[in-house]
Amino acid sequence: MFRRTSRRLRADGWKQVHHDVRIKRTRWCVLRWPNPSMAQMAEMSTEAFEDFFFDVCTLDYRQMSRAMQPLKQLMEKTDRVALKGPRDTDLSFSIKGIPAIPCDGR
Protein backbone atom coordinates (compact mmCIF):
# COMPACT_ATOMS: atom_id res chain seq x y z
CA MET A 1 0.00 0.00 0.00
CA PHE A 2 2.74 2.48 0.98
CA ARG A 3 4.76 1.79 -2.16
CA ARG A 4 1.73 2.35 -4.36
CA THR A 5 0.93 5.62 -2.55
CA SER A 6 4.55 6.71 -2.72
CA ARG A 7 4.74 6.02 -6.46
CA ARG A 8 1.47 7.82 -7.03
CA LEU A 9 2.60 10.78 -4.96
CA ARG A 10 5.79 11.03 -7.02
CA ALA A 11 3.91 10.66 -10.29
CA ASP A 12 1.01 12.98 -9.49
CA GLY A 13 2.14 15.33 -6.78
CA TRP A 14 5.88 15.77 -7.08
CA LYS A 15 5.88 16.94 -10.68
CA GLN A 16 2.85 19.17 -10.25
CA VAL A 17 3.96 20.77 -6.98
CA HIS A 18 7.69 21.00 -7.53
CA HIS A 19 8.34 21.17 -11.26
CA ASP A 20 5.20 22.88 -12.51
CA VAL A 21 4.64 25.33 -9.65
CA ARG A 22 7.52 25.80 -7.21
CA ILE A 23 10.47 25.75 -9.60
CA LYS A 24 8.83 27.83 -12.33
CA ARG A 25 7.40 30.45 -9.97
CA THR A 26 10.19 30.85 -7.44
CA ARG A 27 13.03 33.33 -7.84
CA TRP A 28 16.17 31.54 -6.77
CA CYS A 29 19.29 32.92 -5.19
CA VAL A 30 21.92 30.33 -4.34
CA LEU A 31 24.52 31.59 -1.92
CA ARG A 32 27.57 29.73 -0.75
CA TRP A 33 28.98 31.03 2.51
CA PRO A 34 32.38 29.99 3.84
CA ASN A 35 32.11 27.65 6.79
CA PRO A 36 34.40 25.44 8.90
CA SER A 37 33.63 22.39 6.75
CA MET A 38 34.75 24.15 3.56
CA ALA A 39 37.88 25.41 5.36
CA GLN A 40 38.67 21.88 6.50
CA MET A 41 38.34 20.53 2.95
CA ALA A 42 40.75 23.26 1.80
CA GLU A 43 43.11 22.35 4.66
CA MET A 44 42.97 25.94 5.94
CA SER A 45 41.84 27.62 9.13
CA THR A 46 38.30 28.98 8.99
CA GLU A 47 39.58 32.55 9.18
CA ALA A 48 42.16 32.03 6.39
CA PHE A 49 39.52 30.32 4.22
CA GLU A 50 37.05 33.19 4.75
CA ASP A 51 39.71 35.66 3.61
CA PHE A 52 40.48 33.52 0.56
CA PHE A 53 36.79 33.01 -0.26
CA PHE A 54 35.90 36.70 -0.17
CA ASP A 55 39.07 37.69 -2.04
CA VAL A 56 37.99 35.39 -4.88
CA CYS A 57 34.39 36.64 -4.76
CA THR A 58 35.47 40.26 -5.05
CA LEU A 59 38.25 39.77 -7.57
CA ASP A 60 38.36 42.23 -10.47
CA TYR A 61 37.97 39.70 -13.29
CA ARG A 62 38.21 42.38 -16.01
CA GLN A 63 41.60 43.43 -14.69
CA MET A 64 42.67 39.79 -14.42
CA SER A 65 41.58 39.21 -18.02
CA ARG A 66 43.66 42.15 -19.25
CA ALA A 67 46.67 40.94 -17.23
CA MET A 68 46.42 37.48 -18.86
CA GLN A 69 46.65 38.78 -22.43
CA PRO A 70 50.49 38.93 -22.64
CA LEU A 71 50.72 35.29 -21.48
CA LYS A 72 48.01 34.28 -23.96
CA GLN A 73 49.93 35.97 -26.79
CA LEU A 74 53.19 34.33 -25.72
CA MET A 75 51.56 30.90 -25.58
CA GLU A 76 50.03 31.37 -29.05
CA LYS A 77 53.44 31.93 -30.60
CA THR A 78 55.29 29.31 -28.51
CA ASP A 79 56.12 25.83 -29.73
CA ARG A 80 58.03 24.12 -26.91
CA VAL A 81 57.52 24.42 -23.16
CA ALA A 82 60.10 23.18 -20.65
CA LEU A 83 59.37 22.69 -16.97
CA LYS A 84 62.30 22.07 -14.66
CA GLY A 85 62.12 21.69 -10.93
CA PRO A 86 63.54 19.97 -7.88
CA ARG A 87 64.00 16.21 -7.63
CA ASP A 88 64.88 15.68 -11.29
CA THR A 89 61.70 17.25 -12.68
CA ASP A 90 62.46 17.93 -16.34
CA LEU A 91 59.49 17.98 -18.67
CA SER A 92 59.27 19.38 -22.16
CA PHE A 93 56.43 19.28 -24.65
CA SER A 94 54.91 21.17 -27.55
CA ILE A 95 51.88 23.43 -27.28
CA LYS A 96 51.95 24.40 -30.94
CA GLY A 97 48.43 24.47 -32.41
CA ILE A 98 46.73 24.23 -29.01
CA PRO A 99 44.45 27.21 -28.41
CA ALA A 100 45.42 29.45 -25.49
CA ILE A 101 42.18 30.17 -23.67
CA PRO A 102 42.47 32.41 -20.61
CA CYS A 103 40.44 31.18 -17.64
CA ASP A 104 39.28 34.64 -16.63
CA GLY A 105 35.82 34.08 -15.28
CA ARG A 106 33.92 34.09 -18.59
Side-chain angles (χ1 to χ4, degrees):
M1 176 72 177
F2 177 73
R3 283 188 177 158
R4 210 174 320 137
T5 304
S6 179
R7 272 191 228 127
R8 187 158 189 191
L9 174 63
R10 281 193 306 262
D12 297 340
W14 183 265
K15 182 180 180 306
Q16 182 181 6
V17 171
H18 293 286
H19 290 276
D20 297 342
V21 177
R22 186 178 61 89
I23 292 174
K24 289 181 181 177
R25 295 184 184 170
T26 302
R27 293 183 183 203
W28 293 90
C29 178
V30 177
L31 174 67
R32 293 202 56 167
W33 193 261
N35 59 55
S37 175
M38 293 167 76
Q40 183 178 16
M41 287 189 293
E43 297 181 358
M44 300 170 78
S45 70
T46 301
E47 184 177 314
F49 184 76
E50 287 173 351
D51 290 343
F52 166 77
F53 185 92
F54 291 117
D55 283 347
V56 169
C57 290
T58 58
L59 188 65
D60 184 342
Y61 284 98
R62 281 190 201 133
Q63 181 181 358
M64 183 179 75
S65 181
R66 287 189 300 271
M68 295 171 118
Q69 292 311 306
L71 177 59
K72 178 184 185 296
Q73 292 168 357
L74 176 63
M75 291 175 70
E76 288 173 338
K77 65 181 182 181
T78 297
D79 178 7
R80 305 240 10 116
V81 174
L83 303 172
K84 297 183 182 201
R87 298 191 185 107
D88 299 325
T89 301
D90 188 358
L91 302 171
S92 62
F93 51 91
S94 174
I95 61 170
K96 188 173 185 147
I98 298 173
I101 302 170
C103 296
D104 60 3
R106 282 187 268 159

